[in-house]
Amino acid sequence: MKDWVNKVAVVTDCGDDIGITIIEQLAKAGMIVIGFNKDENVLEGVTEKFKSLIANKISGKIVLCRCDITKISQLESAFEKILGAYEGVDVLVNNAYCNTDCLVNTGSVEDFRQIIDVNIYAVVAFIRLVAANMIEKKKRGHIININDLCSYQLPAETRKSVFIAAKAAITSVNEILRHEFRYLKANIKVTNIACGNIESSTEAAQDQPKLKIRDVAKLVKLILNTPEELQVHEVLIDSVAE
């Protein structure tokens, strides 16, 4: 990870266990990590969680930013502040998601819109901002999309049809971006990480094992640590029990 020391990473939705752990791993590796969340109370809780980590004098830096990524004005404002402070973003980890139950033919239109806004619109909007800066400055960059295995393997029964469609769209966007960046001769990698069921720190222990949060975060770090000439297109991961 020495090539990324003092480089800037943004993790959208720093409020869930995966986002928090990814931020922790990247900050320990010496990166300046900026976490986004729209809820001030969530940011205060995350700040408390990171206090002991920061007190241990991590080699990197953690910055938390209040931003509703579905509001383009807030997204652009946050990015402008990052440009002013650090001249851009080197790594973008799209971790934010909305998986509300919603069927295509009978689901609430408002739920439909929220799922699309968080899982597609916000992801693409931020990628455009970050990629434009990387291309303009001829910077090395990496975009990692935390996705879901449902975008590859349609469950036999589910009430999350719109969420699945949105995640499948990002799977396609990831591959499209790879070809676009190659055509533009941009030094930007894109990686799609599709995860199966992931453990939660708040749920009771279950007999059936799930993916460990820390393992997902370590995978992000491992992908960033690959040689510059090597690109990991996509990774599908699940527990051995699945």
Side-chain angles (χ1 to χ4, degrees):
M1 288 288 290
K2 65 181 183 347
D3 292 336
W4 296 108
V5 172
N6 294 324
K7 299 296 184 181
V8 177
V10 171
V11 179
T12 62
D13 194 358
C14 62
D16 72 353
D17 295 326
I18 294 179
I20 289 171
T21 311
I22 290 173
I23 289 173
E24 178 184 348
Q25 289 288 321
L26 298 185
K28 284 182 175 179
M31 297 191 74
I32 300 165
V33 193
I34 304 170
F36 281 12
N37 194 280
K38 66 179 181 180
D39 191 320
E40 188 66 38
N41 291 329
V42 171
L43 292 177
E44 290 177 2
V46 175
T47 300
E48 285 298 317
K49 289 184 178 181
F50 281 137
K51 273 186 178 178
S52 61
L53 183 66
I54 295 171
N56 290 332
K57 297 181 179 180
I58 57 172
S59 56
K61 182 179 181 181
I62 297 173
V63 179
L64 301 181
C65 174
R66 185 178 182 184
C67 178
D68 184 344
I69 60 173
T70 66
K71 309 293 188 208
I72 190 64
S73 59
Q74 291 189 30
L75 199 57
E76 290 176 341
S77 176
F79 187 67
E80 285 299 319
K81 290 178 181 177
I82 294 172
L83 285 179
Y86 306 108
E87 299 186 348
V89 175
D90 303 285
V91 173
L92 171 60
V93 181
N94 284 308
N95 176 58
Y97 68 95
C98 173
N99 66 348
T100 303
D101 287 0
C102 185
L103 299 178
V104 171
N105 62 335
T106 60
S108 160
V109 172
E110 288 304 314
D111 287 343
F112 198 113
R113 181 180 291 112
Q114 179 69 9
I115 293 168
I116 298 302
D117 282 352
V118 174
N119 294 297
I120 301 178
Y121 175 74
V123 171
V124 173
F126 205 16
I127 286 174
R128 285 166 58 90
L129 289 172
V130 168
N133 173 256
M134 291 175 179
I135 292 170
E136 179 185 0
K137 296 183 179 299
K138 295 181 169 56
K139 296 173 63 177
R140 176 189 180 187
H142 204 137
I143 296 165
I144 296 176
N145 298 309
I146 305 298
N147 209 322
D148 196 293
L149 269 182
C150 68
S151 65
Y152 294 85
Q153 303 168 359
L154 188 65
E157 184 177 351
T158 181
R159 299 193 60 80
K160 300 185 183 297
S161 303
V162 179
F163 172 74
I164 293 170
K167 286 301 186 180
I170 291 304
T171 297
S172 297
V173 166
N174 191 86
E175 184 65 6
I176 289 167
L177 282 172
R178 186 175 68 83
H179 289 288
E180 287 188 358
F181 291 150
R182 184 181 61 182
Y183 172 76
L184 294 169
K185 293 181 170 55
N187 190 16
I188 305 172
K189 298 180 184 181
V190 285
T191 302
N192 192 55
I193 302 178
C195 305
N197 290 327
I198 302 174
E199 68 174 1
S200 170
S201 61
T202 59
E203 69 183 358
Q206 298 182 3
D207 293 335
Q208 191 170 6
K210 295 183 178 180
L211 288 172
K212 303 295 184 184
I213 295 166
R214 185 164 293 276
D215 289 340
V216 177
K218 285 181 178 179
L219 179 59
V220 170
K221 185 177 173 182
L222 180 65
I223 289 169
L224 289 174
N225 205 31
T226 53
E228 189 170 359
E229 68 277 6
L230 185 152
Q231 174 166 255
V232 179
H233 297 177
E234 54 187 4
V235 181
L236 279 63
I237 56 173
D238 208 345
S239 70
V240 294
E242 293 293 335

